[in-house]
Amino acid sequence: MANIADSTVTFFALDPVVLVAVRDQVRPAVPWSPAHVLSLEAAVPTGLDLDDWDHERAFAAWGTSRPEVDSELLEEHADRLVYRVGTAWSGPETVWATLSAQHPGLVVHSVSSDGSEFSSCGWYVAGRAVRWEEGEPDVQDDGDEEVRHPAEWAFSESVAREVLADSGPVR
């Protein structure tokens, strides 16, 4: 059983001010490496102390029981930011829902997998998962053990616009 879930998360917004606010909110106060660009604690503060960790409280706040093990900004466009985030056991789905609630006009798309037992794809708007699918990962055993996801799980600007329009007027 794998203990690291890799997530690719796309933050999409028609208003670039929303993306700037999200990028600023998820940025770690003290990055531990130049690539460390997304912090669960910065995104959804818990005040937890690493020396006295409360797994249940972390899971309730983030959807995963530990802070990120790594993160990187993969792409930056006028209407979207794409990050890769590694977390313990599961993707931080609760963080994505929380961020979508805090930033009207934000759509969050996440594809997560632990590489052996689960894969998931979620679309979040206004604090809730408006689309969610789970499955077993399709691991290609050709030396790099790449996980392949269904093509319909890929980020799509047209789907992002659709779920945003379906969520009602932006406040």
Side-chain angles (χ1 to χ4, degrees):
M1 180 169 168
N3 62 5
I4 300 296
D6 276 316
S7 300
T8 301
V9 59
T10 302
F11 299 111
F12 174 86
L14 298 173
D15 182 352
V17 172
V18 171
L19 291 179
V20 169
V22 170
R23 186 182 58 227
D24 289 348
Q25 182 174 345
V26 303
R27 182 178 291 129
V30 181
W32 34 261
S33 79
H36 183 218
V37 294
L38 188 147
S39 162
L40 301 182
E41 181 65 25
V44 179
T46 64
L48 291 171
D49 182 350
L50 285 174
D51 294 327
D52 186 25
W53 197 254
D54 183 338
H55 292 271
E56 290 177 11
R57 192 166 139 209
F59 193 84
W62 298 335
T64 187
S65 62
R66 300 288 299 173
E68 69 287 345
V69 294
D70 58 9
S71 65
E72 64 182 312
L73 180 62
L74 300 175
E75 299 176 33
E76 187 170 2
H77 304 276
D79 63 354
R80 76 190 78 134
L81 301 168
V82 182
Y83 291 88
R84 190 195 60 71
V85 183
T87 54
W89 308 108
S90 58
E93 307 305 325
T94 307
V95 171
W96 310 148
T98 300
L99 288 169
S100 75
Q102 293 173 341
H103 299 278
L106 179 67
V107 175
V108 182
H109 170 260
S110 173
V111 176
S112 300
S113 178
D114 73 350
S116 67
E117 295 183 9
F118 87 91
S119 287
S120 64
C121 175
W123 291 84
Y124 302 86
V125 179
R128 61 188 185 90
V130 294
R131 294 185 183 185
W132 176 262
E133 291 184 56
E134 292 182 7
E136 290 186 19
D138 178 12
V139 180
Q140 303 301 307
D141 195 9
D142 56 3
D144 65 0
E145 296 189 12
E146 176 185 347
V147 176
R148 294 206 176 109
H149 300 290
E152 61 271 15
W153 285 15
F155 175 81
S156 162
E157 182 178 341
S158 63
V159 172
R161 287 175 178 271
E162 177 185 323
V163 298
L164 188 59
D166 289 348
S167 72
V170 175
R171 295 172 260 125

